[in-house]
Amino acid sequence: MPDDTGGDPEIAEPPAPETDAERRRRRARFLRDLAEARALRARVQPRRAKAARLRHAMRMRTFRW
């Protein structure tokens, strides 16, 4: 039975484990993109963003530590 991998080195070798620095860089980039998307949404939909801010503030006030 022939091997169907086609000799692709990516499939033949498992990926190297991710280092902590790479994971932190990837997470920081994700969080920057998320903040940018939230800021864009706040500019595009100001009424909805204001309502979301007020809801968040209410949740923070009623949260028990």
Side-chain angles (χ1 to χ4, degrees):
M1 189 126 183
D3 188 12
D4 289 337
T5 60
D8 192 358
E10 278 189 33
I11 295 172
E13 291 182 27
E18 186 176 44
T19 66
D20 283 346
E22 289 170 343
R23 190 184 69 78
R24 282 193 299 269
R25 263 195 301 276
R26 201 166 41 88
R27 184 173 186 272
R29 183 175 44 225
F30 169 76
L31 291 175
R32 274 195 308 271
D33 291 346
L34 184 62
E36 183 182 343
R38 284 184 177 153
L40 176 64
R41 188 184 322 161
R43 277 198 315 274
V44 172
Q45 301 174 338
R47 184 178 299 150
R48 188 175 294 180
K50 181 179 179 184
R53 275 196 312 274
L54 292 173
R55 279 194 305 273
H56 181 71
M58 183 63 71
R59 276 197 310 269
M60 290 294 106
R61 273 183 294 205
T62 58
F63 184 76
R64 292 187 176 263
W65 293 96

